[in-house]
Amino acid sequence: MVPHDVSNKTPGTLLVARLHVDLCRLASAICRTAACP
């Protein structure tokens, strides 16, 4: 779990976290699409 209080983190950390989630969602969508003929 990621704490909601990110005042002690750099803005870049939150940006990378959001990008990571977006990449995971995209990869999941691609995998589902590739698995379905």
Side-chain angles (χ1 to χ4, degrees), residues 3-19:
H4 292 286
D5 183 12
V6 294
S7 59
N8 62 340
K9 296 181 181 295
T10 58
T13 303
L14 182 61
L15 179 62
V16 171
R18 289 177 57 86
L19 180 60

Side-chain angles (χ1 to χ4, degrees), residues 12-31:
T13 303
L14 182 61
L15 179 62
V16 171
R18 289 177 57 86
L19 180 60
H20 178 72
V21 171
D22 289 339
L23 288 175
C24 286
R25 289 177 178 175
L26 179 61
S28 179
I30 291 174
C31 287

